[in-house]
Amino acid sequence: MYNFDFHRPSTLRQANGLMGKLEDAKLLAGGQTLLPTMKQRLASPGQVVDLGGIPELAGIEQKGRNLVIGAMTTHAEVAGSALVKAALPGLAALAGSIGDPHVRNRGTIGGSIANNDPAADYPGGLLALGATIVTNKRRLAASDFFTGLFSTALDEGEIITKVIVPTGAKFAYAKFRNPASRYAMVGVAVAKKGGKVAVAVTGAGSDGVFRWEAAEAALQKRFSAKALDGVATPSAKNLNGDIHASADYRSHLIGVMARRAVTTASGK
Ligand SMILES: Cc1cc2nc3c(=O)[nH]c(=O)nc-3n(C[C@H](O)[C@H](O)[C@H](O)COP(=O)(O)OP(=O)(O)OC[C@H]3O[C@@H](n4cnc5c(N)ncnc54)[C@H](O)[C@@H]3O)c2cc1C
């Protein structure tokens, strides 16, 4: 590893101050993506600001009809949380499907969405659930936050502090995972609340996570896997093709995963 300055603030205020004054600084959360990229010299920040020493950034609460998840909450904590399992069991299952136990015990929700890997699981779940991302500066709807491959609406140095997830939806996530990394080759999240249905697809879009509106329209009429019969899956021309799967195959998988998610969410 090369030389860099390491900072470990103990309050959000201190972290804010550091990110405001340091040049070439990167935030460190679970390090599951940042450290490998630094080791490979794909990123070489001169300053690293570790968020691990700030208690106010971790933890899960239920506030009214919302789950409030601190940015430094690990995937394992979300997966094992009694609150999440009670309010949104599908979200606990999604977190439990991320990587392996090592990754789940280090990786955080804040780091995952800040990185916005096109094959990450949380972006699909949070988009379908209509979550709000809270930073040290503002609040962003998930639909405005995820802006493309590995890109978000975050400004340089902006710190995600928590994620607010509305509860009360019938929600499930189905993922066809890469056998090695377990990232989503295709992941589909389905949320039904009142008469509204949201379907978000991750792992496949050539521009990152996206909503599948044709499926939403069909599922709003009838919330069952069969309602997707005859609905064309997203066109391969807007999907990724790579050594793991062709765009055509991903288009097919979207239909399969969507049916599985609807079946789980509807409990039928
Ligand atoms: C082997 C392996 C398998 C994996 N499999 C999966 C998988 O199946 N599904 C999946 O979704 N993910 C998977 N991941 C990624 C994993 O979920 C990581 O947790 C995630 O990508 C990064 O989270 P982190 O907390 O480790 O962040 P870090 O690596 O510390 O940071 C990632 C980026 O986010 C920025 N950042 C971190 N926290 C904040 C914040 N609070 N505010 C603003 N910016 C911030 C950092 O500066 C950095 O640019 C895998 C990773 C590995 C190594």
Side-chain angles (χ1 to χ4, degrees):
M1 186 65 97
Y2 63 93
N3 285 337
F4 56 87
D5 294 335
F6 183 79
H7 309 266
R8 194 172 160 85
S10 55
T11 66
L12 183 55
R13 194 187 168 87
Q14 283 173 5
N16 220 2
L18 284 167
M19 293 311 284
K21 76 171 184 212
L22 293 173
E23 294 213 356
D24 182 27
K26 268 271 184 203
L27 293 162
L28 174 67
Q32 297 302 295
T33 298
L34 182 63
L35 296 180
T37 53
M38 288 171 69
K39 282 184 186 153
Q40 294 158 15
R41 300 290 191 275
L42 298 170
S44 50
Q47 313 278 336
V48 171
V49 176
D50 180 6
L51 298 174
I54 307 176
E56 62 199 293
L57 288 181
I60 303 169
E61 291 175 276
Q62 173 106 32
K63 281 203 172 150
R65 295 200 182 145
N66 295 317
L67 282 173
V68 181
I69 306 176
M72 285 300 288
T73 308
T74 66
H75 310 321
E77 285 162 343
V78 173
S81 157
L83 268 179
V84 180
K85 284 186 205 170
L88 272 174
L91 186 64
L94 180 157
S97 78
I98 293 175
D100 57 31
H102 169 91
V103 171
R104 288 195 290 276
N105 281 289
R106 290 295 307 170
T108 67
I109 189 168
S112 173
I113 63 175
N115 190 48
N116 193 21
D117 187 306
D121 302 297
Y122 271 129
L126 298 180
L127 187 59
L129 286 163
T132 301
I133 287 92
V134 183
T135 79
N136 57 333
K137 293 183 181 164
R138 55 191 164 150
R139 289 171 170 235
L140 292 145
S143 50
D144 299 325
F145 181 85
F146 301 112
T147 57
L149 299 181
F150 294 103
S151 74
T152 71
L154 287 173
D155 294 335
E156 197 61 38
E158 190 170 359
I159 306 172
I160 300 169
T161 57
K162 59 191 166 194
V163 180
I164 299 175
V165 187
T167 59
K170 288 183 177 174
F171 172 77
Y173 176 68
K175 155 178 175 176
F176 189 91
R177 60 186 187 178
N178 177 305
S181 70
R182 286 108 188 231
Y183 274 102
M185 278 161 60
V186 167
V188 178
V190 173
K192 180 181 187 311
K193 196 169 180 182
K196 283 236 160 276
V197 175
V199 177
V201 179
T202 187
S206 48
D207 199 23
V209 64
F210 66 94
R211 296 269 298 266
W212 183 14
E213 288 164 11
E216 293 175 350
L219 291 169
Q220 249 145 221
K221 291 193 189 109
R222 184 160 61 109
F223 194 64
S224 88
K226 276 209 131 324
L228 294 174
D229 294 355
V231 177
T233 54
S235 157
K237 72 175 188 319
N238 302 322
L239 303 177
N240 288 333
D242 56 23
I243 53 167
H244 305 298
S246 69
D248 285 318
Y249 184 42
R250 280 194 165 90
S251 178
H252 165 73
L253 284 175
I254 292 172
V256 177
M257 293 303 124
R259 285 174 174 77
R260 288 186 189 170
V262 171
T263 302
T264 308
S266 61
K268 287 189 189 132

